[in-house]
Amino acid sequence: MRMYDLIMKKRSGEKLSTEEINFIIDGYIKGDIPDYQVSALMMAIYFQKMNKRETKDLTMAMVNSGDTVDLSKINGVKVDKHSTGGVGDTTTLILAPIVAAAGVPVAKMSGRGLGHTGGTIDKLESFKGFSVEMTVEKFIENVNNIKIAIGGQTSNLAPADKKLYALRDVTATVENLSLIASSIMSKKIAAGADAIVLDVKTGSGAFMKDEDASFELASEMVDIGTSVGKNTIAVITEMDQPLGHAVGNILEVKEAINTLKGQGPEDLEELCLTLGSHMLILGNAAKDTDEAREKLEKIISSGEGLKKLKELITAQGGNSDYVDDLSLFEAPKIIEPVNSGCAGYVKNIKADDIGLAALVLGAGRETKISEIDLSVGIILHKKIGDYVEMGEPIATIYANDEDKKSKAEEIIQKAYKFSSEKVTKSKLIKGIVTKEGINKYR
């Protein structure tokens, strides 16, 4: 078997066999197949695409390229959740505690993410002492005892995906549905969950800007999960503006705590209740979404979700006093409003630009070695459909550097677009994809 022949085969629009795909991934990981040949193959796949069988085979080849996590010693159905990313997306900090409080085990592997703000682990590390470093035995023990643990992803989890993505990123071959779907699902399958709920973002602040393409990606991922025995569903959600009001690590943690107190933004709470309901159903803790939602609402109103967050923090060495006293969190030197230069209804907020402003402030990573400033970020006071008076604050900047603050303010001002006419808010939840098919909400 020669890589040259396989490149030509895919370039001609033919289908790669299971054996051929395994040969490619195995050879690439071992260093027997060079970057330039894999780059050529990625470009051939980009144009000629892959069918469902090829996509599943590529996914499983990447799963088998490294370690897989064995969660069989954890009691119950383990349900994982994955978001395709957005701006101000802090759902895990709310979802994990409320789902665990409902009795569904949450054994989550999270990352530190590049981009606008840090990953879930970065946010959790704003609680002094919190650590994701623990043995597999301790991780499993925590889940069995308190129904929740959040650990760091092992460096050898689907290593072929890391190599392939780095290559795709510099060869303009990222935006292919099969390659995106196999990249996401290889990590989720390797992480050992029994069932998976996918939050597929769509809109200006999402990876997938087009709604139809987002449903197509969701369908591809559900097919992969289903084909390997993982009960998988996908919820398509709007990301035409940041989720909630907070963008930035400590600011998002505070917003998550307030949401667990029943005092969070309406859109953030709604998304968590929707995703959480499906997690409860897959975890056999509710028979339908009505029952699941009622359970989760009670968990929030009773304070059980907040209590579970504190249990998680304490179990992993963190100081849970921060949950009761938000003033314990590190504060920035500069807190200043961004005032509107005109009056009108907010027509549009470029979510990517708000994310860029947070990145400029230091809330995220531009490279893997970048250091995050956990205290900086942005609070949005006005969102799509809201009316704004001239000079009224549309946002507040939290910063530690005057120059960065000024640059972020300029970006935020340009991110907002106004209309003299009333603006109708679009639906947060666009639809759902299950193994039975696509259901778009109208």
Side-chain angles (χ1 to χ4, degrees), residues 236-386:
I236 290 73
T237 64
E238 184 203 53
M239 187 46 75
D240 271 330
Q241 62 178 337
L243 183 66
H245 297 297
V247 183
N249 296 280
I250 286 175
L251 296 177
E252 290 182 40
V253 170
K254 289 180 176 180
E255 187 166 75
I257 291 169
N258 285 329
T259 303
L260 287 169
K261 291 177 179 177
Q263 301 164 6
E266 184 181 340
D267 59 344
L268 179 57
E269 181 175 311
E270 175 60 29
L271 180 58
C272 290
L273 289 172
T274 299
L275 297 174
S277 293
H278 290 294
M279 291 176 76
L280 260 58
I281 293 168
L282 295 185
N284 296 327
K287 64 179 182 296
D288 56 35
T289 53
D290 289 339
E291 181 188 346
R293 190 183 184 94
E294 185 179 346
K295 280 189 176 184
L296 294 175
E297 286 173 342
K298 284 181 180 176
I299 285 167
I300 292 173
S301 63
S302 68
E304 287 299 308
L306 199 66
K307 179 182 175 184
K308 189 60 66 177
L309 175 63
K310 293 174 73 172
E311 288 180 12
L312 166 68
I313 295 162
T314 301
Q316 296 189 212
N319 184 350
S320 63
D321 290 346
Y322 284 57
V323 175
D324 299 316
D325 184 0
L326 301 184
S327 69
L328 292 174
F329 285 104
E330 180 186 354
K333 298 173 185 175
I334 304 164
I335 302 176
E336 288 188 10
V338 178
N339 298 321
S340 176
C342 63
Y345 295 93
V346 179
K347 181 181 181 181
N348 184 35
I349 304 173
K350 292 183 178 178
D352 274 353
D353 286 353
I354 298 297
L356 176 60
L359 186 61
V360 165
L361 290 168
R365 291 185 182 86
E366 294 190 63
T367 69
K368 288 181 180 179
I369 61 171
S370 298
E371 285 196 19
I372 283 181
D373 186 340
L374 295 174
S375 67
V376 302
I378 303 156
I379 296 289
L380 303 178
H381 303 304
K382 299 293 182 178
K383 298 187 70 175
I384 293 173
D386 292 340

Side-chain angles (χ1 to χ4, degrees), residues 133-149:
E133 301 302 322
M134 69 187 100
T135 64
V136 173
E137 291 75 20
K138 181 61 177 174
F139 181 84
I140 291 171
E141 179 187 328
N142 283 1
V143 181
N144 280 330
N145 287 343
I146 64 171
K147 295 295 182 186
I148 185 170

Side-chain angles (χ1 to χ4, degrees), residues 6 25 28 40 47 55 105 112 119 124 137 156 173 189-190 237 244 255 264 286 294 323 346 380 391 408 422 440:
L6 301 182
I25 297 302
Y28 188 42
F47 285 112
T55 305
R112 296 185 183 277
L124 285 168
E137 291 75 20
N156 202 38
T173 53
I189 293 166
T237 64
E255 187 166 75
E294 185 179 346
V323 175
V346 179
L380 303 178
K422 279 192 174 183
K440 293 185 179 182

Side-chain angles (χ1 to χ4, degrees), residues 119-291:
T120 299
I121 290 175
D122 295 299
K123 293 174 181 36
L124 285 168
E125 286 178 346
S126 62
F127 294 97
K128 189 175 180 180
F130 187 92
S131 174
V132 294
E133 301 302 322
M134 69 187 100
T135 64
V136 173
E137 291 75 20
K138 181 61 177 174
F139 181 84
I140 291 171
E141 179 187 328
N142 283 1
V143 181
N144 280 330
N145 287 343
I146 64 171
K147 295 295 182 186
I148 185 170
I150 296 180
Q153 290 178 350
T154 71
S155 59
N156 202 38
L157 198 72
D161 171 59
K162 294 181 181 70
K163 284 195 73 173
L164 280 179
Y165 190 87
L167 200 62
R168 289 164 54 212
D169 196 33
V170 295
T171 57
T173 53
V174 169
E175 292 156 322
N176 171 277
L177 285 178
S178 290
L179 296 178
I180 296 168
S182 59
S183 173
I184 292 170
M185 293 303 292
S186 64
K187 294 188 288 287
K188 290 294 103 182
I189 293 166
D194 300 316
I196 304 165
V197 174
L198 300 163
D199 176 11
V200 181
K201 305 292 189 186
T202 187
S204 64
F207 184 73
M208 304 298 288
K209 312 294 184 189
D210 178 75
E211 190 173 315
D212 288 340
S214 299
F215 273 97
E216 193 177 347
L217 172 62
S219 182
E220 193 85 8
M221 291 192 290
V222 169
D223 284 347
I224 293 170
T226 302
S227 70
V228 298
K230 306 287 185 182
N231 201 349
T232 307
I233 71 141
V235 181
I236 290 73
T237 64
E238 184 203 53
M239 187 46 75
D240 271 330
Q241 62 178 337
L243 183 66
H245 297 297
V247 183
N249 296 280
I250 286 175
L251 296 177
E252 290 182 40
V253 170
K254 289 180 176 180
E255 187 166 75
I257 291 169
N258 285 329
T259 303
L260 287 169
K261 291 177 179 177
Q263 301 164 6
E266 184 181 340
D267 59 344
L268 179 57
E269 181 175 311
E270 175 60 29
L271 180 58
C272 290
L273 289 172
T274 299
L275 297 174
S277 293
H278 290 294
M279 291 176 76
L280 260 58
I281 293 168
L282 295 185
N284 296 327
K287 64 179 182 296
D288 56 35
T289 53
D290 289 339
E291 181 188 346

